[in-house]
Amino acid sequence: MSNFQVDKNGFYGEFGGAYVPEILYKCVHDLQEAYLPIIESEEFKAEYHALLKDYVGRPSPLYYAKRLSEKYGCQLYLKREDLNHTGAHKINNTIGQILLAKKMGKTRIICETGAGQHGVATATVCALMDMKCEVFMGATDVERQHTNVERMKMLGAKVNPVRTGNMTLSDACSAAIRDWCCHPSDTFYIVGSTMGPHPYPDLVARMQSVISEEIKWQLEEKIGRDYPDYLIACIGGGSNAAGTIYHYMNDDRVKIVLAEAGGAGYETNHTAATMHKGTVGILHGAKMLVMQNNDGQIEEAFTISAGLDYPGVGPMHCNMYKQGRTQVLSVNDDEAIYGGYELTRMEGIIPAIESAHAIAALSKLQFKPTDVVVLTVSGRGDKDVETYLKNKQMAKEYGNF
Ligand SMILES: *Cc1c(COP(=O)(O)O)cnc(C)c1O
């Protein structure tokens, strides 16, 4: 049986590793040594699961979507990460990492954010744990995601607009890494997705693995078997996808379908479809598939969805894709808008525009009526209502709402 887990050197096949400046060697090494003993300790698990239950509101429901099941000719269940506190799966990870930071004696938290969802989830747990918090966010995103900036400030975080490069997520990551270089001893960097130097991809995947842990017993309860025929999730850096598939990676009965952001189409330059377009390169401390030109310059990602707007994708997913374990579909902006309206009108659930990419993948697959499909709704769409309304026309060739 293949093993898609990280090896002891921090690699997933040819991907991953820890490519960091010398000044961070000790910091990253300390984290590599510390994370497993801490997160596998009974004390950590008890605190983490108590907070997931009473603060985040887990387990998140596994909901049978009757009308969409009929439409797509399958048995469709939605894993409702949109119902978590702060509105997405990101909080599963920030709760875990802040507990780890505390146990490692760190006193200051930094993070990067794009749309602001990870910034809000981090500022939230910093308020909860009484920790200093600084968020790095591209100046363009600070403008575009004003409400989330206000939420972070209200929660007590300092938001640092980043004015280098395209002034978006990728630049925010670089700025956070630079800050970390200046404060290696007291600062813990809470990374928001399955990216960054080892051990972050593995750490984040483990923190999100609660999603598939719950899917297992919830399916058992509902259908009398603990695995689906299909798992579907959207993918930016890869954390909600990693959580969704974690306990099924080596289970060949389960097909895995991931939806990346095609933007205007992966054949255009206006795209964030990293697995379709990317080539092997190093970005933010790890070897992965990145969109880059022939000189190795990182190319800007384009998509309607700020949360998928990243020119790379986590190493675990690069490896699984290269090994043929996952099917990756490129879902364009117009298809995602339609998917978001479809879930809204047919099930009464307004999804995050990121999650709408996963919904749109349904129409690209052929199911048998008995197929059990679990699709993760990674977040709620409150933040995206304006985007949906403004771009409704874009999706009209797929039908009318
Ligand atoms: C951040 C975000 C994503 C993308 O990040 P992953 O690490 O790929 O999961 C997807 N959906 C929502 C709602 C998000 O906030």
Side-chain angles (χ1 to χ4, degrees):
M1 190 158 45
S2 348
N3 185 357
F4 297 107
Q5 294 287 0
V6 72
D7 70 20
K8 64 181 193 320
N9 300 315
F11 281 89
Y12 301 82
E14 64 176 300
F15 300 101
Y19 300 85
V20 294
E22 201 173 326
I23 188 146
L24 288 180
Y25 282 1
K26 183 178 179 313
C27 222
V28 169
H29 181 78
D30 288 350
L31 184 60
Q32 288 169 355
E33 296 288 302
Y35 84 111
L36 285 179
I38 293 177
I39 68 177
E40 284 174 351
S41 71
E42 290 309 316
E43 185 187 314
F44 178 94
K45 284 194 215 164
E47 282 181 64
Y48 176 60
H49 287 287
L51 284 169
L52 287 184
K53 178 168 179 281
D54 294 330
Y55 188 71
V56 176
R58 303 201 73 90
S60 66
L62 186 68
Y63 165 71
Y64 178 67
K66 185 161 175 291
R67 291 186 63 201
L68 275 181
S69 291
E70 280 163 14
K71 171 158 185 190
Y72 288 108
C74 65
Q75 307 297 313
L76 176 66
Y77 290 85
L78 302 176
K79 183 58 174 159
R80 300 289 310 276
E81 295 301 301
D82 57 310
L83 293 177
N84 294 338
H85 180 43
T86 70
H89 65 292
K90 297 238 165 55
I91 191 112
N92 302 329
N93 171 46
T94 58
I95 292 258
Q97 285 198 48
I98 201 155
L99 288 174
L100 176 59
K102 282 210 124 171
K103 299 216 183 295
M104 290 180 71
K106 305 290 181 177
T107 54
R108 176 175 175 266
I109 299 294
I110 57 169
C111 75
E112 85 295 340
T113 196
Q117 294 298 103
H118 176 56
V120 169
T122 303
T124 298
V125 298
C126 286
L128 177 69
M129 299 286 173
D130 192 19
M131 295 270 258
K132 277 202 297 269
C133 179
E134 287 197 36
V135 180
F136 294 86
M137 185 169 188
T140 310
D141 291 332
V142 170
E143 295 272 307
R144 289 195 292 197
Q145 308 289 336
H146 203 66
T147 318
N148 274 342
V149 175
E150 299 306 322
R151 288 167 83 195
M152 287 181 253
K153 287 183 179 164
M154 187 169 170
L155 288 157
K158 178 161 183 267
V159 180
N160 300 305
V162 178
R163 298 185 198 285
T164 51
N166 303 311
M167 305 193 270
T168 56
L169 175 59
S170 189
D171 312 293
C173 293
S174 306
I177 293 172
R178 274 194 301 277
D179 177 283
W180 199 22
C181 290
C182 299
H183 309 91
S185 57
D186 66 338
T187 295
F188 191 98
Y189 179 9
I190 297 189
V191 173
S193 189
T194 44
M195 42 174 270
H198 176 65
Y200 281 108
D202 185 48
L203 171 59
V204 176
R206 284 169 187 266
M207 294 298 115
Q208 294 292 357
S209 69
V210 64
I211 299 173
S212 48
E213 196 180 299
E214 289 173 2
I215 292 173
K216 280 196 118 164
W217 63 256
Q218 288 172 320
L219 276 180
E220 181 71 52
E221 226 173 65
K222 286 184 197 299
I223 63 166
R225 71 173 217 219
D226 70 356
Y227 67 95
D229 298 292
Y230 286 84
L231 285 169
I232 304 178
C234 67
I235 181 162
S239 69
N240 88 88
T244 302
I245 68 177
Y246 196 85
H247 291 282
Y248 298 107
M249 286 193 283
N250 293 315
D251 186 340
D252 292 336
R253 298 170 300 185
V254 183
K255 298 183 191 70
I256 299 172
V257 180
L258 304 178
E260 63 177 4
Y266 70 84
E267 65 290 348
T268 72
N269 286 327
H270 206 278
T271 186
T274 323
M275 288 202 255
H276 281 80
K277 269 236 138 135
T279 50
V280 180
I282 292 172
L283 182 61
H284 300 133
K287 195 179 275 187
M288 56 171 108
L289 291 171
V290 292
M291 300 198 303
Q292 54 190 335
N293 68 17
N294 292 335
D295 302 327
Q297 287 283 82
I298 303 304
E299 290 186 336
E300 195 177 352
F302 288 98
T303 150
I304 199 162
S305 145
L308 304 178
D309 200 356
Y310 186 65
V313 55
M316 180 183 119
H317 295 291
C318 295
N319 182 48
M320 291 179 78
Y321 177 58
K322 275 279 157 94
Q323 306 286 334
R325 177 66 183 95
T326 49
Q327 180 182 0
V328 178
L329 300 173
S330 171
V331 171
N332 295 350
D333 290 349
D334 53 352
E335 298 171 309
I337 292 285
Y338 185 81
Y341 271 96
E342 186 173 65
L343 184 63
T344 302
R345 295 291 173 89
M346 292 185 70
E347 301 289 346
I349 298 168
I350 303 178
I353 186 71
E354 292 82 12
S355 322
H357 286 71
I359 297 289
L362 289 169
S363 66
K364 298 174 185 277
L365 298 165
Q366 284 292 329
F367 300 112
K368 295 197 297 285
T370 50
D371 280 341
V372 173
V373 179
V374 173
L375 184 153
T376 295
V377 180
S378 53
R380 67 177 83 126
D382 307 27
K383 67 186 178 55
D384 299 314
V385 169
E386 220 173 296
T387 305
Y388 282 125
L389 290 173
K390 219 166 60 193
N391 294 289
K392 190 171 166 182
Q393 283 306 312
M394 192 191 251
K396 73 171 183 301
E397 73 172 274
Y398 303 105
N400 269 322
F401 282 115

